[in-house]
Amino acid sequence: QVLVLLRVNGAATMCRWSPEGNKFAVASSAKIVAICHYEEKHKWWPSKPTKKHKSTVLSVAWCPNNKFIVTGSTDYRCRIISAFDPERDSEDDEHGFGAVFKNQHVFGEILAEFSVSKAWVHDVAWSPSAFRLAFTGQGSTIHFVQITSDGPPEVTTIRHNALPFLSVEFLSNKCVVASGFDAAPYIFVASDSYGAEPEWELKGKVDKKKGAKSPRSKGKFSASRNMFESSS
């Protein structure tokens, strides 16, 4: 058994391992996300809290660079937050985020915030390239974020006719799957994989409707009852 010190006074709503497996993030109803790391000396997982949320945090996902998290909250916000740990993360800027997020190596710093959902943000996801995000809203919306080096991140919003999506995931840099109260996954596709101005569109449901079922054959009881009714 290994001790984990979350230091939260509310329910844990989601837990995600970092890409390198040396940290994990725990979202909670205590308005914080706890970033946990292992300490060999004490054989436990202490945590550092990010305290930038104003309500319950429903979802969290890691950037492929192992340094950032993106969160979705019931305060109607999606946020990119630094989870940089100088003892476990390199300061090398291999993805080039230094030109976009000046305070990327300041733990707990909000690097970007999006309020376009106007409703609870149920789930968040990060693309394999690290320059695209997706998040879903309770108002039957899905939002796609494009991070660029020459300006603030740009958001594309799609309002759909389905019930709200509760989960979202990138299948590739240009393909996203989302599902929710409709009990069916939906596919969204971008016009390109790495461009700075992708056009997103809904391709439709993954599950196709089956043809109408043929009526069930009547059982012996039903057939006997019909014979009795016709003879009376």
Side-chain angles (χ1 to χ4, degrees), residues 6 8-16 25-34 53 55-61 70-74 120-124 166:
L6 285 183
V8 298
N9 59 357
T13 56
M14 180 177 283
C15 181
R16 291 280 181 90
V26 181
S28 74
S29 62
K31 306 178 186 179
I32 70 172
V33 176
H53 303 88
S55 189
T56 297
V57 186
L58 296 177
S59 53
V60 60
V70 59
T71 64
S73 174
T74 56
W120 289 9
V121 177
H122 282 299
D123 199 19
V124 292
L166 294 177

Side-chain angles (χ1 to χ4, degrees), residues 78 114-126 133-146 154-171 174-180 184-190 199-204:
C78 172
F114 312 102
S115 59
V116 295
S117 177
K118 308 297 182 184
W120 289 9
V121 177
H122 282 299
D123 199 19
V124 292
W126 217 305
L133 304 169
F135 60 97
T136 63
Q138 173 65 16
S140 290
T141 58
I142 185 168
H143 312 271
F144 301 97
V145 180
Q146 179 67 45
E154 298 183 359
V155 183
T156 299
T157 297
I158 295 181
R159 300 185 181 277
H160 52 85
N161 295 325
L163 294 175
F165 295 141
L166 294 177
S167 61
V168 61
E169 193 67 51
F170 277 88
L171 301 181
K174 62 177 295 186
C175 186
V176 166
V177 60
S179 62
Y186 289 75
I187 293 292
F188 295 84
V189 177
E199 296 181 1
W200 289 90
E201 64 174 329
L202 171 62
K203 284 298 185 180

Side-chain angles (χ1 to χ4, degrees), residues 101-136:
F101 304 134
K102 302 300 181 181
N103 296 324
Q104 63 170 327
H105 293 156
V106 179
F107 180 87
E109 187 76 9
I110 294 181
L111 305 178
E113 182 174 290
F114 312 102
S115 59
V116 295
S117 177
K118 308 297 182 184
W120 289 9
V121 177
H122 282 299
D123 199 19
V124 292
W126 217 305
S127 71
S129 71
F131 282 89
R132 289 179 180 176
L133 304 169
F135 60 97
T136 63

Side-chain angles (χ1 to χ4, degrees), residues 17-32:
W17 281 100
S18 68
E20 294 183 8
N22 58 357
K23 299 181 290 185
F24 64 88
V26 181
S28 74
S29 62
K31 306 178 186 179
I32 70 172

